[in-house]
Amino acid sequence: MKYILGILLILFASYADIFLHRIHIIPVSPSSGPIPIFLGLFLLNYSIKDFSNTFKSHTFKFLVFIFIVSVVYSAFSDAPMDVISTEIGLNVITIILYCFALHFFTVENKKTVLFVMASALCVLGGSLLYDFFIGLPEYNKNLSEAVRKGGFGENPNQAASGIKFLSLAVLALINKNKTWLYITVTFMLVTVFLTLSRSGMASVILILVIGTMNSWSSEFLIKPRTFFLNSIKLTLLLIVFFMSLITFSEVIRESSPELSRGAAGERMDMFLGKSKVTIDEGGAAGGRALLLFKYWDDFQKNPIGYGTGYTSDRRYNFLDTHNYFLFLAVNFGFITLLVYLFYLGYGMKLSLDSPQFYYLIFLVLIVFEGFIANNIWYTRTLLICLAFFDSLIYKKKLYD
C-alpha cells in the first residue's frame, strides 16, 4: 500500500498527474481521481491516532491560521464568490495534502522516502529533457508556440522551481555519498538551465554557495578554517560551472536556433553575460516591478487588508501580486504578514536547534520564492517538499 501512496506522491510532486490528464491519458482530473484515491488509501493504511501527531507541527498551525483568516476576510471581500471559494478550497486542500505527506515522510524509512523524492525529481527533470530534445504532446496553441520548455511543469519557471526543491530534498538524503551528490547537482544545473528561468538559476547558485560553504553536511560545519577551504572549492566550482554553461549554451544554440531569437535569446545572452539583467518582466502588461509598486501602494492605502481573493479578482487587478509577502499583506493585512515572518523565524530557530542545515537552505529558498510567486503553498511540489523538510525536524519529536 505504501508504494502505491509513494507513486501517487511522485505523480503529484512532478506535476505528471496534471499533464497526463490534459493529454487524456488519465481520464479524470486530479481533484476527482488521484487526490481522492490518495486520501482514501492513506486513511486505510495508517492509524488515525498516529496521524493526529502531525497537528503538532508549526507549519500545520500556520496553514490553519491562513485558512481561518481567509474565511474571516471573506466576509467583507468584494471579490466574486467563485474566486473566494476557490481560495478557501485551495487552503483546505493544502492543509490536507501537507498533513498526509508529512505523516508519510515521518513514518516511512529513509529508502522509501528517497525513492519517492528521487523518482519525482527524475520524472520532472526527465520530462523537461524529453520536452526539450524530442517534444512532449502539445494540447494547446500556447504550448505549441513556446520556445522555452517546462516538461510536465508546463510553465518553465514552475518546472525550475519544482526541480530545485526536489533536488534539495534529494541532496538532504544523500549528502554523505559525494558521487551521487555531484550527480544530483549536475542534473539540477542542466535541467534548470534548460528552462532559462532567471529565478531558477539564482536559486541554484544559492544552493551551490550555501551547500559548498558547509561541505554539503546536514550539520552546521561553517568555521573559520572550513570557510576558507570551502571558499576555494566554491570559487573553482563556480568557474567550472560558468565554463560549462558557456559550452553548453553554444551547443544548445547550434541544435536549437530558435533559442537565439526573441526573449529566449535575450535570456541566453543574460546568462552568458552578453546583456544587461532587466528587472521588469512584461513591461506595461504587468512586469514584476510594476506589480510591486501597485500592490505596495494598495497596502499603504489599506494595511488592514482588502479581503479574500482581492488580488485574484480580474475586475480590479490584471495580474496577482507575484509576491507572497504582498499577497498576505494586501489580502489579509499586516498582522497576517507579521505571523508569516514569525513562522519563518521560528523555522530557522528549529533548523539551528535540530540541527538541520538543509532545512535552513530550504527556508532561504522559501524566502526567495516568496518574492517571485504569490501561490507558493498552492504549488504541490513545493508543498510536498515542505512536508519532507518538516519531517526532518519532527520525525524524532513526534514518533520516538
Side-chain angles (χ1 to χ4, degrees):
M1 186 76 76
K2 69 178 182 180
Y3 295 109
I4 298 176
L5 292 170
I7 290 172
L8 288 171
L9 279 174
I10 292 168
L11 292 177
F12 298 155
S14 63
Y15 309 108
D17 60 322
I18 298 175
F19 188 87
L20 294 176
H21 170 64
R22 295 195 196 281
I23 61 174
H24 309 296
I25 291 179
I26 296 180
V28 293
S29 66
S31 60
S32 301
I35 292 180
I37 291 173
F38 175 78
L39 301 183
L41 293 177
F42 187 95
L43 294 174
L44 290 173
N45 193 55
Y46 296 111
S47 167
I48 298 297
K49 180 181 178 180
D50 291 340
F51 173 71
S52 64
N53 284 322
T54 60
F55 302 158
K56 298 176 183 178
S57 82
H58 69 298
T59 296
F60 171 79
K61 295 170 184 176
F62 170 72
L63 294 177
V64 169
F65 171 79
I66 294 297
F67 166 72
I68 294 173
V69 167
S70 67
V71 173
V72 172
Y73 269 74
S74 67
F76 56 87
S77 174
D78 291 329
M81 185 53 63
D82 63 322
V83 173
I84 294 174
S85 59
T86 297
E87 292 281 345
I88 295 175
L90 286 172
N91 285 328
V92 172
I93 294 174
T94 295
I95 293 171
I96 295 174
L97 186 57
Y98 165 79
C99 289
F100 283 28
L102 174 61
H103 187 73
F104 179 90
F105 292 132
T106 50
V107 301
E108 298 301 340
N109 59 46
K110 183 177 179 179
K111 288 184 178 179
T112 301
V113 174
L114 177 58
F115 168 76
V116 170
M117 303 309 287
S119 296
L121 174 61
C122 290
V123 170
L124 180 56
S127 72
L128 179 69
L129 293 172
Y130 187 92
D131 194 12
F132 189 88
F133 293 106
I134 299 175
L136 287 169
E138 297 158 351
Y139 58 83
N140 63 37
K141 184 179 179 182
N142 289 335
L143 277 182
S144 64
E145 294 177 349
V147 174
R148 297 168 61 209
K149 304 298 183 180
F152 288 157
E154 301 175 31
N155 181 290
N157 291 322
Q158 181 169 269
S161 177
I163 289 170
K164 73 188 181 190
F165 282 114
L166 289 170
S167 297
L168 186 64
V170 173
L171 290 172
L173 291 166
I174 63 168
N175 62 85
K176 294 181 180 180
N177 188 320
K178 297 301 180 183
T179 300
W180 282 108
L181 186 147
Y182 289 122
I183 290 174
T184 302
V185 168
T186 301
F187 185 76
M188 174 180 66
L189 287 171
V190 171
T191 50
V192 170
F193 175 71
L194 288 178
T195 66
L196 297 181
S197 170
R198 291 176 288 193
S199 60
M201 289 304 300
S203 298
V204 165
I205 292 173
L206 271 176
I207 294 173
L208 286 176
V209 171
I210 301 174
T212 303
M213 296 307 293
N214 197 58
S215 301
W216 297 103
S217 173
S218 59
E219 298 180 356
F220 290 81
L221 299 180
I222 298 180
K223 297 176 182 178
R225 183 174 179 275
T226 57
F227 181 84
F228 175 75
L229 294 175
N230 288 334
S231 296
I232 297 175
K233 292 180 183 178
L234 178 62
T235 301
L236 294 174
L237 181 63
L238 291 177
I239 290 174
V240 172
F241 166 61
F242 185 70
M243 296 301 295
S244 301
L245 197 65
I246 293 176
T247 303
F248 195 52
S249 299
E250 295 303 327
V251 172
I252 291 175
R253 280 183 159 173
E254 290 178 4
S255 60
S256 304
E258 64 271 16
L259 289 176
S260 300
R261 301 188 292 269
E266 292 174 3
R267 290 192 177 215
M268 190 75 78
D269 288 339
M270 184 202 71
F271 288 134
L272 299 176
K274 298 179 181 179
S275 66
K276 295 181 179 180
V277 178
T278 56
I279 298 177
D280 196 0
E281 185 177 308
R288 295 184 188 277
L290 297 179
L291 290 173
L292 174 64
F293 292 131
K294 177 203 179 309
Y295 284 112
W296 175 248
D297 185 59
D298 285 348
F299 172 65
Q300 288 180 306
K301 291 177 180 177
N302 184 11
I304 302 300
Y306 290 84
T308 305
Y310 168 76
T311 58
S312 303
D313 190 347
R314 293 295 174 264
R315 296 176 303 171
Y316 305 112
N317 305 296
F318 179 72
L319 289 175
D320 214 318
T321 58
H322 279 64
N323 183 306
Y324 189 63
F325 299 95
L326 279 177
F327 174 83
L328 293 178
V330 174
N331 288 292
F332 306 127
F334 72 96
I335 294 178
T336 303
L337 175 61
L338 291 177
V339 171
Y340 180 58
L341 295 176
F342 175 81
Y343 164 76
L344 292 174
Y346 186 73
M348 291 183 180
K349 179 180 180 300
L350 288 177
S351 71
L352 296 171
D353 292 342
S354 296
Q356 263 297 337
F357 191 77
Y358 279 88
Y359 192 85
L360 180 62
I361 300 177
F362 175 73
L363 288 176
V364 171
L365 292 181
I366 287 294
V367 172
F368 179 74
E369 196 81 3
F371 285 109
I372 60 176
N374 57 272
N375 60 344
I376 57 177
W377 305 130
Y378 301 158
T379 305
R380 290 181 304 172
T381 304
L382 199 160
L383 185 63
I384 291 171
C385 288
L386 172 65
F388 164 76
F389 281 102
D390 276 354
S391 74
L392 300 180
I393 299 292
Y394 286 102
K395 191 163 189 173
K396 291 184 177 180
K397 289 184 178 181
L398 297 181
Y399 299 99
D400 278 357

